[in-house]
């Protein structure tokens, strides 16, 4: 089939375009260029190299740049971002989808290349654990040649039964204080039988630790919410799009997650936390003389009232301060909320096509994934 530079009917959506507000590209100053670096949390897709026009780069302050692919794919992805984040958009489905997408901040041009400026999905995390899942049992679109179709099918035969594949993941091990990264070849080595034990289960255990049910459950909740969206929307099909999942891997924030449960129960019940955590020592009033930390604990204890309501308030404040980075710059993207210790995002829209029915291809993989996540929780 021949390639097309525009999608039939793609510009006929009820959302006004107002593309001029997005397509006015921003020239980057030389100082910003010098600060470009590889996005270390990218685990799928084309990896950026200096001098390259492709991949994703981290420009700091909570922003990344994603290079536009050659037409028609790059044009298609840019158009989709513009539709979803158009300020004049009145489409309820697209507005709802914003919560699952990286926030779009226009385009940037550099050395003849054009980039999407997006929110960094791992911004605000101390030790992010991330995984990229390409969704759908079919990963080729209607424009694919017979050779392309054959090649896509041969890449990962289990896809027809699983409906998704792991294209990469990065896991923080709190014991070794190191990251372990897994690429495409690892994902292709997983079968229908091993994708749980050697794939998703490994991702949520951080090495040889216990299963992080505290993050599996909120991720499962968000997957169910996304499923509800796909069950009702009939305007788009997403071929070869990915789900990007991230959770906080550091021990400090892991403990803070537990303290956040106070939000759901403030009727004078104390929440016990591990004794080796500073917050726990503050709440329980421990005097840790042996460890030489009695001064810092005592100083902070002076500011805490002894009644349970004050304790809960202190916990919530500490949770907010640890999970949110500084907001000194007004142009920063939206930051994670204190309870957002695990997130699910829909990414990659180079093959987002107009549709008139439910996206059964994507939905098939999403529901398979949800069932597997339920198995992990059990």
């Amino acid at each position: 089939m021949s390639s097309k530079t525009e999608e039939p009917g793609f510009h006929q959506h009820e959302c006004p375009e107002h593309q001029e507000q997005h397509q006015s590209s921003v020239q980057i100053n030389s100082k910003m260029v010098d600060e470009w670096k590889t996005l270390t949390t990218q685990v799928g897709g084309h990896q950026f190299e200096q001098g390259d026009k492709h991949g994703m780069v981290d420009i700091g302050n909570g922003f990344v740049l994603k290079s536009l692919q050659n037409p028609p794919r790059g044009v298609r992805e840019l158009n989709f971002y513009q539709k979803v984040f158009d300020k004049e958009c009145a489409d309820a489905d697209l507005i709802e989808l914003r919560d699952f997408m990286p926030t779009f901040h226009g385009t940037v041009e550099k050395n003849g290349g054009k980039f999407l400026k997006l929110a960094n999905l791992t911004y605000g995390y101390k030790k992010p654990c991330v995984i990229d899942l390409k969704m759908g049992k079919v990963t080729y679109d209607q424009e694919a040649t017979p050779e392309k179709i054959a090649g896509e099918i041969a890449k990962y035969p289990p896809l027809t039964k699983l409906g998704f594949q792991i294209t990469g993941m990065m896991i923080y091990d709190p014991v070794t204080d190191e990251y372990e990264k897994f690429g495409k070849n690892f994902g292709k080595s997983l079968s229908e039988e091993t994708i749980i034990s050697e794939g998703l289960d490994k991702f949520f255990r951080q090495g040889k630790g216990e299963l992080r049910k505290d993050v599996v459950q909120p991720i499962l909740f968000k997957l169910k919410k996304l499923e509800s969206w796909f069950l009702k929307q009939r305007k788009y099909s997403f071929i070869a799009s990915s789900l990007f999942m991230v959770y906080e891997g550091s021990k400090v924030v892991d403990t803070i997650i537990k303290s956040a449960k106070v939000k759901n129960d403030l009727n004078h019940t104390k929440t016990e936390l591990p004794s080796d955590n500073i917050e726990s020592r503050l709440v329980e009033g421990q005097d840790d003389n042996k460890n030489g930390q009695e001064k810092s604990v005592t100083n902070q204890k002076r500011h805490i009232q002894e009644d349970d309501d004050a304790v809960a308030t202190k916990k919530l404040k500490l949770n907010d301060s640890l999970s949110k980075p500084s907001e000194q710059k007004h142009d920063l993207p939206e930051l994670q909320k204190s309870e957002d210790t695990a997130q699910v995002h829909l990414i990659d829209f180079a093959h987002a096509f107009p549709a008139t029915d439910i996206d059964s291809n994507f939905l098939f993989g999403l529901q398979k994934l949800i069932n597997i996540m339920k198995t992990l929780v059990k």
Side-chain angles (χ1 to χ4, degrees):
M1 298 182 183
S2 59
S3 297
K4 302 176 182 177
T5 56
E6 289 189 5
E7 303 308 319
F10 202 85
H11 298 284
Q12 299 174 9
H13 197 273
E14 61 181 307
C15 254
E17 280 300 305
H18 298 282
Q19 293 187 8
E20 64 274 5
Q21 67 182 9
H22 294 303
Q23 291 181 334
S24 55
S25 302
V26 179
Q27 295 294 333
I28 307 176
N29 60 49
S30 58
K31 182 178 179 180
M32 184 179 292
V33 173
D34 293 337
E35 295 173 350
W36 278 24
K37 60 181 180 179
T38 301
L39 180 62
T40 57
T41 53
Q42 182 185 358
V43 291
H46 184 99
Q47 303 293 319
F48 176 81
E49 297 179 2
Q50 289 295 339
D52 193 0
K53 294 181 181 179
H54 303 285
M56 298 188 70
V57 291
D58 184 356
I59 59 173
N61 296 328
F63 296 108
V64 298
L65 299 181
K66 179 181 181 180
S67 60
L68 280 181
Q69 300 181 55
N70 293 329
R73 291 174 295 177
V75 175
R76 190 183 300 127
E77 182 164 39
L78 174 59
N79 284 346
F80 186 74
Y81 269 109
Q82 289 174 334
K83 281 180 177 291
V84 175
F85 289 96
D86 192 316
K87 294 180 180 179
E88 302 296 327
C89 181
D91 187 310
D93 287 338
L94 293 186
I95 292 173
E96 184 178 347
L97 187 62
R98 290 174 184 172
D99 289 340
F100 285 96
M101 291 177 60
T103 307
F104 176 61
H105 295 273
T107 61
V108 166
E109 289 186 0
K110 167 66 173 66
N111 292 344
K114 195 166 186 176
F115 297 80
L116 301 171
K117 185 177 180 181
L118 305 170
N120 185 344
L121 298 178
T122 59
Y123 185 60
Y125 289 87
K126 293 177 179 289
K127 298 292 184 180
C129 295
V130 300
I131 188 170
D132 187 297
L133 305 171
K134 183 178 287 189
M135 304 302 295
K137 56 183 176 181
V138 174
T139 57
Y140 52 87
D141 60 39
Q142 62 255 39
E143 297 180 346
T145 63
E147 293 76 18
K148 175 68 173 177
I149 293 174
E152 287 295 311
I153 294 175
K155 282 182 180 179
Y156 191 58
L159 191 61
T160 56
K161 293 184 178 180
L162 282 171
F164 69 91
Q165 56 186 306
I166 296 176
T167 59
M169 61 184 186
M170 187 175 77
I171 311 169
Y172 172 70
D173 188 336
V175 176
T176 63
D177 192 28
E178 294 179 347
Y179 275 99
E180 191 171 8
K181 213 164 185 178
F182 302 84
K184 288 184 178 180
N185 290 336
F186 168 79
K188 291 178 181 178
S189 71
L190 300 175
S191 65
E192 187 180 1
E193 292 74 27
T194 62
I195 197 166
I196 299 179
S197 60
E198 298 180 21
L200 290 169
D201 186 80
K202 179 192 293 287
F203 175 67
F204 288 109
R205 284 189 186 275
Q206 291 186 256
K208 298 181 180 179
E210 295 183 358
L211 184 72
R212 289 287 304 275
K213 289 187 177 182
D214 59 302
V215 295
V216 173
Q217 290 172 330
I219 283 179
L220 179 57
F221 173 80
K222 290 174 173 61
L223 290 174
K224 291 289 291 181
K225 186 176 179 181
L226 187 60
E227 178 192 26
S228 297
W229 187 84
F230 270 93
L231 283 171
K232 68 179 181 179
Q233 79 87 23
R234 288 169 168 77
K235 295 164 186 163
Y236 294 96
S237 63
F238 300 87
I239 305 296
S241 290
S242 292
L243 288 182
F244 182 87
M245 301 193 295
V246 54
Y247 70 86
E248 181 55 67
S250 71
K251 274 189 172 183
V252 173
V253 180
D254 181 23
T255 303
I256 295 304
I257 294 171
K258 297 176 184 177
S259 72
K261 293 180 181 178
V262 177
K263 294 179 180 180
N264 300 321
D265 186 10
L266 293 179
N267 42 354
H268 307 291
T269 301
K270 290 186 177 181
T271 303
E272 294 186 1
L273 299 175
S275 59
D276 62 343
N277 180 269
I278 291 178
E279 185 194 3
S280 176
R281 293 199 296 271
L282 292 177
V283 174
E284 298 174 8
Q286 295 180 10
D287 189 10
D288 198 356
N289 294 319
K290 293 183 180 180
N291 293 328
Q293 298 180 355
E294 67 277 8
K295 292 183 179 180
S296 62
V297 174
T298 302
N299 290 336
Q300 295 183 63
K301 282 169 58 180
R302 293 172 184 170
H303 302 286
I304 303 177
Q305 298 179 20
E306 295 301 326
D307 60 279
D308 291 328
D309 287 335
V311 170
T313 302
K314 184 66 178 179
K315 287 182 179 180
L316 294 178
K317 289 182 178 179
L318 180 58
N319 185 32
D320 288 340
S321 65
L322 285 181
S323 60
K324 282 190 176 182
S326 173
E327 299 185 46
Q328 294 179 350
K329 298 187 177 182
H330 68 280
D331 193 32
L332 295 181
E334 293 182 7
L335 307 180
Q336 281 77 31
K337 298 177 182 178
S338 59
E339 66 271 18
D340 289 346
T341 50
Q343 280 294 318
V344 175
H345 301 277
L346 181 62
I347 60 174
D348 300 334
F349 306 102
H351 303 276
F353 288 89
T356 58
D357 203 354
I358 288 177
D359 187 356
S360 57
N361 180 55
F362 190 104
L363 194 56
F364 175 84
L366 179 58
Q367 291 176 333
K368 285 280 188 177
L369 177 61
I370 288 173
N371 289 334
I372 289 177
M373 295 291 285
K374 289 179 178 178
T375 300
L376 287 179
V377 173
K378 292 179 182 179

